[in-house]
Amino acid sequence: MNLKQFTSLVLVCALACVALGAYHATTLKNALLPPISKPLIMLVTSWQGKGADEIEQTLIAPLEQQLKSINGLTEFKTTVLAGSAYTKLYFPYDADMDKMYLEVLSQINQVPTWPTEVSPPQVINKASGANSTLASAMLYSPRSVSKEEFIRVMTNLIEPELTKISGIARLEKAFNNTEQRVDISFDPQKLANFDLTTDAVGHAMRNLKDQSGDQLTIGSREYSLHFNGQLTIDELKRLPIAVRQGHIVRLEEVAQIEVKPLSKWGYASFQGHRAFYFTMEPTPNVDALSTIAEVKAVFASLNEGALKQHDMQISLSRDDSKSIHNALNQVYGNLLLGVLLACGLLIFFFRNSSAVMLIFLAVPVCLALVVIGMKLGDYSLNVISLAGMALSIGLLLDAAIIVIDNIFRLVRQGLPVERAISRGTKEVSGAIISSTLSSIIIFVPIIMMESAEAQLFIDLAFTISSALMASVVVALVVLPAAARKLIKGNDARVEQTEHQPSRWVTLFTAPARSRLIATAILVLCLPMAIFSTYFLAPNFDVLPSPSQNNVNAIVLFNEPLTHEVAEHRIAQTIYNRIDRAELNNSAPDFEVYGMFCNTGMCQVYFYPRESGQFDTFRNWISNEILHDLPGTVHYVMPGNLLSFALPDNRVIELNLKGDTLPRLQEAGREILSFLQNKYPEAKITEDSPLYNRVPRIEFTPKQENLVHLGLTPAKLNEKLVALTDGVYLGHFFAQGNALPMYLKGRELNSIEALLDTEIAIPGFGLVPLHHLADVKMSQAPAELLRVNGETTVALEIEPPEGAAIGQFLSQIKQDISEFIGDYENQNIYFSYMGSADNLTEFLKEFLHLLIISVITLTVLMWLTLKSWRMAIAVVMSLPLAAFGGMLALVIIDMVDSQNLDIITMIGFIILFGLVINNAILLVSQFQRSLSEGLSQQQAIVQAVTLRRRPIYMSTGTSILGMLPLMLIPGEGAEIYRGLAAVIVGGMTLSALLSLSFMSALLSQSVFAKKEKEVAEPALSTTA
C-alpha cells in the first residue's frame, strides 16, 4: 500500500491526538499514589455497658468460631474493649471481596446464642483503599462549646454538605462519636422513698413508641388504628410511673434525664481551642486534589455563612494537597528537564535540525496517546505514573531515533528522499517491533504480582507499556509522514564510506583480537558483577519514607488515664508550655498545630512555615515541651507523605501466644524491656496491654443472703448493672432519631457510697448492697487481643528513622528467637504481622518474578534470533547492568539514605527489559554479518561499527530522561529516586562496558559457526 497519499491524513490524526491528549490531561484524576486495595473486611460489634471479658465470651468467641468456616479466610484479629470489639478479616489478594462480603454477612446471621438485645456487627468492606484516609478536619470555637452543640452543628450543617462531594465515601467520627443515648439516672434513695424498684421503673418506660393496629370497620367506613406512644423529652420527664397513696409519681421525681454521646469522647484541639475531630474516607480511585479543593471550598462557605452564626470555624487539620501538588510538580519539572537533556544529546549526534525536530515530534504524540489510554483505563496522574512517563521519554525516542537515523543514512548515501523514507522505515520495522515486544512483555510478570504493595507498579507498567506501543505506531506511521514534509534533498550530504574502523571501534573490539583479554574479561567481569551486585545491595525495606513538612510528637501514658485527666494533666500542660514559648519568642515558627488525646496517649502535630526544620522542632519539643511530663514517654517523628495512603507501612507487629493471658503479659513485659534497652532509638511499644491497669470492682454474691431474699445471682447482676452503666430499655424515638435508652444509677463519688446504696426488694424493703455481695478491688487489662481465635499479647515495633525494615527485622527476629529459646516458659510461641509479613511475602514474589523475567527474556531472544546460543549471549549482558544499578544505589546511599525498597527492586526488572535491546542490536548484526561470509572478528567489528551510534543515542536519551528523577531533591522524590538510580546506573555501565564485554563474549569459539537461521534484518547505520 502506498502510504504517501495518506500523509496529510496521518498528520491531521496525530495533531488531533495531541489536542485530545492535552484536554484529557486536564481531566485525569490527581493523587499521590495509585489506588491500593487490601482484601480486608472489618466488623464492629457494640454492647454498651459490658466489659471486655463478657463481650469476648458471649459475642466474639462464638462469632469467630462461625467465621472460621469462610472459605479463603487467611487470618482474623479482634481487639475487644469495654462496650465494643473490632474484628479484622484478611483474605487472599485475588479474592472476590464482594462475594466475601456477602459470605461474612451470611455467617454472622448464623451465629448461635447471639443475644437479642445486641445488634449484629456492622460490616465494613475496606478492600477499596483499605485503611486510607483522604483528609482530617477540626471543628472548633474560641468559646466554650458543649458536646451537644458540636453534634448538632456537625450533623445538621457540616455532614450534609460534605457528603455531597463525590470523592467522599463517608465521615469517620469514632474519635468524637455523634451517636447519642438517653440516660435516665435514678436516685436509689428516692426510689426507696416511693417504694419503687428499677424493674417497676423500667417496665413503665418500655415500648414508648407509636404503634398501629389493623383496620377497623364502623358502618360503611374503615379506620386505621394508631396508638400514640412516642414522647418528647419534656413529656418523658412527666411520665407517670406509679401511684403512691393517691400521688402520681412522675419520672422526673426519681430520676434525671440526659441526652449524651453514646461513647466517651477523645480530646481534640486546634490552635489551642477544644475541637471536634473527624476524618474523610475516600471513594475508590478518588481524585484527591480535586476532592480536597471541593472540601476547602465547602469549608470556606461554611466559615463565612452558617458557622459564623454559631461562632465556630472548621479547618483541615491535615492537608496533604500542598504536598501532593509539590510532588507532582516535581515530577512534571523532571520530565520536562529530561526531554530538554535528551534533545541536547540528539543535537550533538545529528547536527541536523530537521532530524532532531522529527525525532522530538514523537514525544507529544506518544505522551498524548498514553494520556488517552490512561483516561480510557481510569488511571490517575500520580508520582508513579508520572515517573513512568519520565522513564518513557528515552524509550519512546528509541524507535524514532532508529527510524530517522536510518532514513538520514540512506539520504546521505544518495537515495531520493521518498525512497529513503520507504526503504529506511521498512528495513527497521521488524527489529523495532520485536525489541518493543520484548520490553513490553517484561511487564507482564509485574502485573501478575498480587501483594498490596505490588499494586503500585500497575500504573508504572501501564504507562511504560503504552508509551512503547505508541512509539512503534509513531515511528513507523507518523514520522515517515512528517519526514515527507520536512526532509529536503539537501538536508544531508552524501556519505563517504570509511574503509577503516574508527579508533573507538578499535578500542571497543580489542578483546575480540586477544583471546587472553577476552577470557580475562569474561572470567572476571561476569562473576564479579554477580557477586558485587549481591554484596553491594543496600538493606531491604518495604517502602520509601518520603518526608513531609510536618512534625509529630507521640506521648504515651505509662498507665491509662480518664479522658478528663488526660485533658487537664497532659494536654493543658502542653498547651501552656507552647503558649509560653510563643510569648517568649523561643518557639520555632509554625503555621498551625493541634492535638488528640485518648486514655492511652496524646499526639501533638506542627506544620512548620519552612521546610527542613525537623531537628529544630525535635529539640524544642523534647527539651521544652514534653521533657518532664510525669508518667509518660514520648517520641518525636517527621511527617511521612505515605502515612495516610499507606498507614503502618513501617510497623512490625510481634504476637505472643500459647499460654494464659497473665503469663503472656509477663513474657511481653520482659521482651519489651529487653528490646527497648537494646534498641533505644526504635519506637517499641505495647500493642495490647502488658499490665492490668484498669481498676475493677469484683462482686461475689452472698448466696445464702440471696436465697433468703428470693434473689438469684442473675437478678443481682441486673441491679448492679442498673446502678452503674445502666440497663438497656429499648430505643427512644425523637425527631426521627432512634436513641438507645438506659436506666442507670446516679454518679457516685466513692466505693463506699456504692456499697451503702440501698436496693428495694419486694417484701423485704431496703437492703444495702454490701449485704448482698462481697466486694474486692482488682485490676483488668484495658483491652483484649485475639489473633486467629487465640488469646494474644502484641508488641508494636517501628525501626529508627532511616533504618531499613529488612536488616532491622532480621536482627529483631534473631534476638527474639534467642530470648524465647532461653525463656523458662516453653509453651509460648510468637509470630509476626505488618511490615514483617509484607516484606517476606514480597521478597518471595519478587524472586519468582525475577526468575520468570529472565526465562521470558531468554525465550524471546530465541524467538527473535532463532538461536539458543545467541539468546544466552544476550542474557549474559544483564549482570553488568544489574551491577551498575546497584552501584548507583550505593553512591546515592552515601550521599543520602537509600534503602532497597520494593519500588527500587522493580527498577531492576525494568532495567533488564531496557538494556537487553542494546545486546539484541549488537548480536543480531553480528549474526547477519556471519551469514554474509565475514569472519568472526570481522563480524564483531562490523556489528560494533554499525550499532555503536544507535546504541549510544537510545541509551543516552533514556539516561538523560531519568537523570533528573535521580538527582533533583524535592517533596516525594524519595518514592521514585531509587527506581531512577537503578535504571540510570545500569544503563550507564551497560553503555560503557557492554560493547567490550559483548565483543569478548562473541569472540569465543562457540559463536564462530554461522547460523542457518538469520535474524530479522537489522539497522545498518554506519559509524
Side-chain angles (χ1 to χ4, degrees):
M1 180 183 295
N2 185 10
L3 294 178
K4 183 177 180 180
Q5 56 186 318
F6 298 107
T7 296
S8 298
L9 178 61
V10 168
L11 294 178
V12 169
C13 290
L15 185 61
C17 285
V18 172
L20 188 61
Y23 167 73
H24 282 312
T26 63
T27 63
L28 285 177
K29 298 173 182 177
N30 290 268
L32 178 65
L33 294 175
I36 297 176
S37 298
K38 291 187 177 181
L40 171 67
I41 291 177
M42 177 177 283
L43 309 182
V44 181
T45 307
S46 298
W47 197 5
Q48 289 298 317
K50 299 299 181 180
D53 289 335
E54 185 173 0
I55 292 177
E56 179 188 28
Q57 296 169 17
T58 308
L59 302 182
I60 300 306
L63 175 64
E64 290 181 341
Q65 189 64 34
Q66 188 67 39
L67 294 173
K68 282 182 181 179
S69 63
I70 297 177
N71 187 27
L73 180 63
T74 58
E75 195 169 53
F76 54 93
K77 172 182 175 181
T78 301
T79 301
V80 189
L81 307 167
S84 61
Y86 301 88
T87 303
K88 293 181 178 180
L89 308 177
Y90 299 91
F91 297 89
Y93 289 102
D94 58 350
D96 183 344
M97 292 308 296
D98 291 330
K99 180 180 177 181
M100 292 297 101
Y101 178 80
L102 295 176
E103 179 66 18
V104 170
L105 288 175
S106 174
Q107 293 299 326
I108 287 175
N109 292 329
Q110 299 177 45
V111 176
T113 68
W114 190 268
T116 56
E117 68 271 21
V118 181
S119 300
Q122 178 188 3
V123 184
I124 304 172
N125 188 352
K126 305 201 78 172
S128 296
N131 298 328
S132 64
T133 301
L134 178 67
S136 61
M138 296 273 204
L139 172 66
Y140 64 99
S141 174
R143 61 181 177 86
S144 178
V145 177
S146 66
K147 294 179 180 178
E148 290 72 21
E149 188 172 358
F150 271 130
I151 292 174
R152 188 166 56 253
V153 170
M154 185 69 200
T155 304
N156 298 333
L157 299 180
I158 296 173
E159 194 164 1
E161 294 298 321
L162 290 179
T163 51
K164 294 177 185 177
I165 299 174
S166 59
I168 296 179
R170 65 190 182 97
L171 304 185
E172 178 58 59
K173 299 165 290 184
F175 196 77
N176 297 130
N177 201 333
T178 56
E179 295 183 37
Q180 296 176 286
R181 59 182 268 177
V182 178
D183 277 358
I184 301 169
S185 304
F186 63 85
D187 186 331
Q189 187 59 50
K190 291 182 178 180
L191 286 183
N193 292 342
F194 287 109
D195 193 24
L196 287 172
T197 64
T198 54
D199 290 340
V201 177
H203 180 74
M205 300 178 59
R206 295 187 186 274
N207 292 322
L208 295 179
K209 60 182 180 180
D210 292 350
Q211 302 181 62
S212 60
D214 204 349
Q215 299 289 327
L216 176 65
T217 303
I218 301 178
S220 62
R221 301 191 64 179
E222 287 188 347
Y223 297 87
S224 61
L225 302 181
H226 182 81
F227 174 76
N228 292 319
Q230 182 173 323
L231 305 176
T232 65
I233 292 293
D234 290 336
E235 290 171 338
L236 182 63
K237 293 178 181 179
R238 297 191 295 273
L239 177 71
I241 56 174
V243 177
R244 293 294 182 266
Q245 299 177 355
H247 172 70
I248 297 177
V249 182
R250 301 186 184 275
L251 185 59
E252 62 184 354
E253 295 183 63
V254 296
Q256 293 182 342
I257 302 173
E258 181 184 11
V259 178
K260 59 190 295 186
L262 186 62
S263 57
K264 286 186 175 294
W265 279 17
Y267 173 76
S269 62
F270 186 74
Q271 296 289 76
H273 305 300
R274 180 64 189 259
F276 181 99
Y277 173 76
F278 65 96
T279 60
M280 287 158 270
E281 308 301 306
T283 56
N285 203 15
V286 64
D287 185 344
L289 293 183
S290 174
T291 303
I292 292 178
E294 288 187 61
V295 169
K296 289 180 177 179
V298 169
F299 283 4
S301 175
L302 289 169
N303 287 334
E304 292 299 320
L307 291 182
K308 204 169 188 178
Q309 301 172 13
H310 294 270
D311 195 19
M312 289 186 179
Q313 293 282 289
I314 189 169
S315 175
L316 288 173
S317 60
R318 171 159 184 158
D319 180 9
D320 282 348
S321 61
K322 182 178 179 181
S323 298
I324 296 174
H325 268 299
N326 291 341
L328 293 180
N329 289 337
Q330 173 89 3
V331 186
Y332 284 131
N334 290 340
L335 194 155
L336 179 60
L337 182 57
V339 170
L340 295 177
L341 291 174
C343 179
L345 180 70
L346 293 180
I347 291 173
F348 171 78
F349 271 103
F350 277 97
R351 314 289 174 91
N352 186 300
S353 59
S354 297
V356 174
M357 188 183 304
L358 282 169
I359 291 172
F360 272 90
L361 177 63
V363 175
V365 179
C366 288
L367 291 182
L369 290 173
V370 171
V371 169
I372 293 171
M374 293 177 67
K375 184 66 177 180
L376 294 174
D378 198 26
Y379 289 88
S380 65
L381 284 175
N382 53 70
V383 293
I384 299 296
S385 60
L386 286 173
M389 286 188 184
L391 171 61
S392 302
I393 294 299
L395 306 182
L396 60 87
L397 289 177
D398 283 354
I401 289 171
I402 292 173
V403 170
I404 298 303
D405 189 50
N406 203 36
I407 291 172
F408 270 76
R409 178 184 64 84
L410 295 175
V411 170
R412 287 197 298 269
Q413 290 179 351
L415 266 67
V417 171
E418 178 57 37
R419 189 177 173 193
I421 292 172
S422 299
R423 179 180 166 184
T425 304
K426 184 178 180 180
E427 279 183 354
V428 298
S429 59
I432 288 176
I433 292 173
S434 62
S435 63
T436 301
L437 284 177
S438 67
S439 297
I440 291 175
I441 291 175
I442 198 66
F443 290 103
V444 174
I446 296 178
I447 296 175
M448 293 170 59
M449 297 179 72
E450 295 179 348
S451 62
E453 288 75 14
Q455 296 173 60
L456 289 169
F457 313 124
I458 294 177
D459 283 37
L460 187 71
F462 178 83
T463 52
I464 296 177
S465 299
S466 57
L468 287 170
M469 288 188 287
S471 71
V472 173
V473 175
V474 172
L476 300 182
V477 178
V478 177
L479 292 189
R484 292 184 176 95
K485 299 289 185 181
L486 292 179
I487 298 179
K488 307 299 180 185
N490 57 358
D491 272 355
R493 66 183 186 278
V494 176
E495 185 179 63
Q496 300 296 323
T497 303
E498 296 182 11
H499 297 282
Q500 298 295 327
S502 70
R503 57 193 180 106
W504 287 108
V505 172
T506 302
L507 177 63
F508 290 140
T509 58
R513 295 188 296 274
S514 171
R515 184 172 297 275
L516 179 62
I517 295 176
T519 304
I521 288 177
L522 295 179
V523 171
L524 293 177
C525 286
L526 202 59
M528 187 175 68
I530 295 172
F531 286 110
S532 298
T533 299
Y534 177 79
F535 287 109
L536 286 176
N539 298 319
F540 290 118
D541 210 340
V542 178
L543 286 171
S545 298
S547 59
Q548 190 179 23
N549 190 31
N550 66 358
V551 181
N552 296 293
I554 307 295
V555 182
L556 301 176
F557 308 153
N558 293 336
E559 295 186 1
L561 304 177
T562 66
H563 292 90
E564 294 75 18
V565 172
E567 176 183 351
H568 293 99
R569 183 186 299 175
I570 306 297
Q572 199 57 52
T573 301
I574 292 174
Y575 278 127
N576 291 339
R577 292 177 177 180
I578 293 173
D579 289 342
R580 188 161 54 247
E582 287 188 292
L583 290 174
N584 297 334
N585 292 323
S586 61
D589 197 14
F590 53 83
E591 294 181 0
V592 295
Y593 73 102
M595 185 187 300
F596 322 95
C597 291
N598 56 29
T599 57
M601 58 164 285
C602 282
Q603 177 179 348
V604 192
Y605 67 89
F606 298 86
Y607 277 87
R609 291 191 184 278
E610 298 180 2
S611 59
Q613 298 294 307
F614 172 70
D615 290 337
T616 302
F617 272 86
R618 178 172 55 188
N619 294 333
W620 173 65
I621 293 171
S622 297
N623 299 329
E624 297 186 31
I625 308 300
L626 307 179
H627 62 289
D628 60 351
L629 292 176
T632 67
V633 293
H634 69 267
Y635 303 88
V636 182
M637 300 168 293
N640 187 330
L641 199 54
L642 301 182
S643 60
F644 267 15
L646 291 168
D648 301 332
N649 69 80
R650 286 179 55 81
V651 173
I652 303 167
E653 184 177 309
L654 171 65
N655 294 325
L656 301 179
K657 308 176 186 177
D659 213 327
T660 62
L661 180 61
R663 291 183 177 179
L664 291 174
Q665 288 178 313
E666 180 183 0
R669 290 193 293 269
E670 294 188 30
I671 294 177
L672 178 65
S673 176
F674 168 72
L675 293 177
Q676 286 179 335
N677 290 332
K678 185 155 189 178
Y679 302 98
E681 297 299 320
K683 180 186 174 185
I684 305 175
T685 60
E686 58 181 49
D687 193 39
S688 66
L690 300 181
Y691 294 88
N692 296 337
R693 299 188 179 105
V694 177
R696 180 168 66 180
I697 306 172
E698 294 184 2
F699 293 92
T700 304
K702 295 181 178 180
Q703 301 286 357
E704 294 181 359
N705 293 355
L706 294 183
V707 169
H708 282 298
L709 297 172
L711 293 176
T712 63
K715 197 65 178 178
L716 175 62
N717 182 60
E718 288 182 13
K719 295 184 178 296
L720 288 173
V721 170
L723 288 173
T724 53
D725 197 67
V727 175
Y728 174 71
L729 299 177
H731 277 72
F732 179 78
F733 296 88
Q735 299 177 347
N737 295 320
L739 308 180
M741 183 166 55
Y742 292 86
L743 178 65
K744 64 187 295 290
R746 60 179 173 82
E747 298 290 338
L748 299 171
N749 297 323
S750 65
I751 302 298
E752 291 74 15
L754 174 63
L755 296 178
D756 291 337
T757 300
E758 294 180 321
I759 299 174
I761 300 177
F764 294 93
L766 299 176
V767 179
L769 181 58
H770 62 75
H771 186 70
L772 305 176
D774 291 322
V775 176
K776 182 178 71 172
M777 301 299 296
S778 66
Q779 289 185 313
E783 64 183 54
L784 302 174
L785 178 64
R786 295 168 59 92
V787 176
N788 295 331
E790 294 185 76
T791 299
T792 305
V793 163
L795 301 181
E796 190 175 275
I797 305 169
E798 190 170 338
E801 189 63 31
I805 287 281
Q807 182 185 29
F808 184 77
L809 177 60
S810 299
Q811 187 62 49
I812 283 281
K813 283 185 174 181
Q814 180 180 343
D815 292 338
I816 293 175
S817 296
E818 294 174 358
F819 184 91
I820 294 293
D822 297 336
Y823 193 65
E824 58 186 15
N825 188 345
Q826 294 301 308
N827 293 326
I828 295 176
Y829 65 98
F830 58 93
S831 62
Y832 297 91
M833 294 178 67
S835 290
D837 209 27
N838 296 346
L839 183 59
T840 302
E841 180 180 338
F842 179 82
L843 288 177
K844 291 179 181 177
E845 200 170 16
F846 180 78
L847 180 61
H848 295 156
L849 170 64
L850 188 62
I851 295 172
I852 291 172
S853 299
V854 173
I855 293 174
T856 302
L857 286 174
T858 305
V859 172
L860 283 173
M861 295 309 98
W862 172 70
L863 292 174
T864 301
L865 301 172
K866 305 298 189 297
S867 167
W868 281 112
R869 284 177 295 169
M870 294 300 176
I872 293 172
V874 170
V875 174
M876 287 178 71
S877 67
L878 298 181
L880 279 178
F883 171 62
M886 201 64 75
L887 187 62
L889 285 181
V890 172
I891 295 172
I892 293 291
D893 190 41
M894 291 178 180
V895 178
D896 190 10
S897 177
Q898 176 62 57
N899 298 321
L900 188 57
D901 56 72
I902 62 178
I903 297 179
T904 303
M905 290 183 211
I906 293 298
F908 285 96
I909 305 298
I910 299 172
L911 174 66
F912 291 164
L914 302 181
V915 299
I916 205 166
N917 288 331
N918 294 339
I920 292 173
L921 283 174
L922 200 64
V923 171
S924 62
Q925 181 59 51
F926 169 77
Q927 196 176 24
R928 179 169 181 155
S929 298
L930 285 178
S931 68
E932 292 174 351
L934 297 181
S935 68
Q936 185 177 14
Q937 185 172 329
Q938 289 173 330
I940 293 172
V941 172
Q942 187 178 70
V944 172
T945 300
L946 297 180
R947 295 314 188 198
R948 176 171 59 92
R949 177 185 172 93
I951 285 176
Y952 278 135
M953 281 194 291
S954 60
T955 301
T957 53
S958 296
I959 292 172
L960 293 176
M962 289 296 288
L963 196 61
L965 294 178
M966 182 185 79
L967 295 181
I968 299 179
E971 204 155 20
E974 298 93 333
I975 296 175
Y976 48 76
R977 183 180 61 192
L979 172 74
V982 166
I983 295 172
V984 169
M987 296 195 77
T988 301
L989 193 65
S990 177
L992 293 175
L993 302 181
S994 64
L995 292 180
S996 296
F997 176 81
M998 293 303 295
S999 295
L1001 180 63
L1002 295 176
S1003 68
Q1004 301 303 304
S1005 58
V1006 69
F1007 300 107
K1009 185 180 178 181
K1010 298 178 182 179
E1011 299 290 334
K1012 293 181 180 180
E1013 294 87 1
V1014 180
E1016 180 73 33
L1019 199 81
S1020 56
T1021 307
T1022 56

